[in-house]
């Protein structure tokens, strides 16, 4: 049996595409993942980013859920400081009522936005400091053991939607360990502390009603294609997209602008983000990911299939599943 594989989908809006076509692509991606035995698809909350269509995470999950049958769907994650815990409990309680046994709720404390967007969200600048307490409040609503007298989440109460702590630092690792929750590390874009965070999480883990032993999900990028040349071409397109998205300051996309940004320093930053990236054919990516799994000491891999086109992402989903079928689980 292979290690569980999951997908992180940002619902990217590719060049020349619209939010509508991006969402349709996310449906197709989840259907392809379901067909090939992936465990789950998660959607990440971001705001004010013209290339990402997953801002209304729970709405997107509901749409994809209606067009899939068995695959788990969830947030990877909801940035809880942007929201009242009761609101998130009601949203994900509603999703669990609609799709029983298929809903996950990953939680992060990052803003998922810039300072002006934080204002537009009416976010309290100090809200991240309350993240541990907000997680416990949210957990209480979902388990039916509310921490706010007289207030229940309806739907949501007693739904027991499983919680996951997301992070890219030691904070998330130690919090997940203290609360006895699964820990998902964002090594697909912030790899530096992966080994230290996972080691601390496993060492400090305290069993809980949800989880009796540590469970680690590690993020990794995959660019799989039928030929090495096609995979390398996809990698170069991804590097350009990241450079313009992160450093383009709203400028119109062009290959010339992207190459200029990469040459001026964005290339180093993009390279760091893509530290853990499997690039190549089916036969090449399987061994890479097996080695990464061992390095990350992961129980599950959550994959960002990076490609500039929907067709490329769908093909990557298929090739990865075929590759990992040939790699025995540890």
């Amino acid at each position: 049996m292979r290690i569980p594989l999951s997908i992180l989908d940002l619902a990217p809006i590719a060049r020349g595409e619209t939010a509508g076509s991006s969402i349709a692509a996310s449906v197709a991606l989840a259907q392809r993942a379901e067909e090939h035995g992936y465990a789950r698809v998660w959607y990440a909350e971001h705001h004010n980013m013209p290339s990402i269509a997953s801002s209304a995470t729970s709405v997107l999950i509901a749409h994809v859920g209606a067009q899939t049958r068995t695959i788990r769907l969830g947030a990877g994650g909801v940035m809880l400081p942007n929201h009242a815990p009761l609101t998130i409990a009601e949203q994900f309680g509603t999703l669990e009522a609609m799709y029983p046994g298929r809903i996950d709720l990953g939680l992060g404390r990052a803003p998922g936005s810039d300072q002006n967007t934080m204002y537009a969200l009416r976010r309290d600048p100090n809200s991240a400091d309350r993240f541990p307490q907000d997680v416990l409040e949210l957990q209480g609503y979902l388990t039916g053991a509310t921490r706010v007298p007289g207030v229940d989440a309806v739907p949501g109460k007693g739904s027991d939607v499983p919680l996951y702590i997301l992070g890219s630092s030691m904070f998330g690792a130690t919090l997940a360990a203290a609360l006895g929750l699964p820990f998902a590390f964002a090594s697909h874009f912030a790899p530096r502390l992966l080994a230290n965070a996972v080691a601390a999480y496993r060492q400090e883990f305290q069993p809980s009603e949800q989880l009796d032993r540590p469970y680690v999900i590690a993020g990794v990028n995959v660019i799989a294609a039928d030929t090495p040349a096609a995979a390398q071409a996809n990698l170069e397109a991804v590097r350009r997209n990241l450079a313009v998205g992160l450093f383009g300051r709203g400028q119109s996309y062009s290959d010339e602008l992207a190459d200029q940004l990469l040459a001026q320093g964005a290339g180093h930053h993009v390279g760091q983000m893509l530290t853990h990236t499997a690039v190549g054919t089916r036969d090449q990516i399987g061994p890479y990911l097996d080695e990464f799994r061992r390095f990350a000491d992961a129980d599950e891999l959550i994959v960002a299939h990076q490609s500039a086109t929907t067709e490329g992402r769908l093909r990557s989903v298929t090739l990865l599943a075929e590759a990992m079928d040939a790699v025995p689980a540890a």
Side-chain angles (χ1 to χ4, degrees):
M1 180 178 178
R2 74 187 186 196
I3 185 173
L5 285 176
S6 297
I7 292 177
L8 178 66
D9 183 7
L10 300 180
I13 304 174
R15 294 169 68 179
E17 298 294 327
T18 65
S21 61
S22 168
I23 291 168
S26 288
V27 171
L29 191 76
Q31 291 171 336
R32 180 71 59 90
E34 183 174 79
E35 176 186 346
H36 286 285
Y38 284 74
R40 65 187 98 237
V41 181
W42 282 358
Y43 304 94
E45 176 187 346
H46 292 279
H47 299 282
N48 193 32
M49 293 188 179
S51 61
I52 295 176
S54 56
S55 54
T57 311
S58 59
V59 179
L60 183 57
I61 293 169
H63 179 64
V64 176
Q67 299 180 74
T68 51
R69 297 179 295 106
T70 58
I71 195 165
R72 297 190 68 89
L73 302 168
V78 162
M79 300 299 107
L80 190 55
N82 291 342
H83 310 277
L86 177 61
T87 299
I88 298 303
E90 291 169 341
Q91 290 177 5
F92 280 79
T94 299
L95 289 168
E96 175 64 23
M98 295 165 67
Y99 309 111
R102 294 180 57 196
I103 301 301
D104 301 324
L105 177 49
L107 302 169
R109 67 170 183 148
S113 58
D114 55 34
Q115 292 292 324
N116 288 340
T117 308
M118 286 174 60
Y119 166 78
L121 290 167
R122 300 299 189 266
R123 172 175 167 157
D124 178 354
N126 299 318
S127 55
D129 297 336
R130 298 193 299 270
F131 181 66
Q133 293 76 23
D134 285 350
V135 171
L136 290 172
E137 182 181 334
L138 173 58
Q139 186 179 54
Y141 292 132
L142 293 172
T143 60
T146 181
R147 292 171 175 261
V148 181
V151 178
D152 288 313
V154 182
K157 180 180 180 180
S159 61
D160 293 314
V161 173
L163 301 182
Y164 298 75
I165 299 297
L166 280 55
S168 58
S169 69
M170 301 304 294
F171 177 89
T174 56
L175 179 62
L179 298 182
L181 295 175
F183 178 49
F185 192 89
S187 38
H188 62 292
F189 75 89
R192 187 171 64 88
L193 294 176
L194 171 61
N196 291 341
V198 171
Y201 168 71
R202 291 196 179 278
Q203 181 177 355
E204 300 175 21
F205 181 84
Q206 299 295 316
S208 68
E209 289 188 15
Q210 179 177 325
L211 193 64
D212 62 357
R213 65 185 65 185
Y215 193 84
V216 173
I217 304 174
V220 62
N221 301 291
V222 170
I223 302 174
D226 289 302
T227 67
Q232 288 298 322
N234 281 341
L235 173 62
E236 190 58 33
V238 168
R239 293 180 72 250
R240 285 171 167 165
N241 284 343
L242 286 172
V244 174
L246 293 170
F247 302 101
R249 297 183 177 86
Q251 300 178 69
S252 297
Y253 187 103
S254 70
D255 288 347
E256 292 75 16
L257 170 64
D259 290 341
Q260 182 181 19
L261 292 170
L262 288 167
Q264 290 175 345
H268 176 72
H269 185 80
V270 169
Q272 287 185 321
M273 290 178 64
L274 297 176
T275 295
H276 297 305
T277 302
V279 182
T281 64
R282 177 177 55 200
D283 294 337
Q284 292 172 319
I285 61 173
Y288 178 98
L289 290 175
D290 188 46
E291 182 178 343
F292 172 74
R293 171 181 61 84
R294 296 173 192 276
F295 170 76
D297 194 13
D299 301 289
E300 179 178 331
L301 299 181
I302 189 162
V303 174
H305 284 281
Q306 302 279 10
S307 177
T309 66
T310 299
E311 294 76 13
R313 293 171 71 213
L314 291 173
R315 185 60 180 153
S316 187
V317 169
T318 298
L319 291 172
L320 174 58
E322 293 173 353
M324 296 307 285
D325 280 337
V327 176

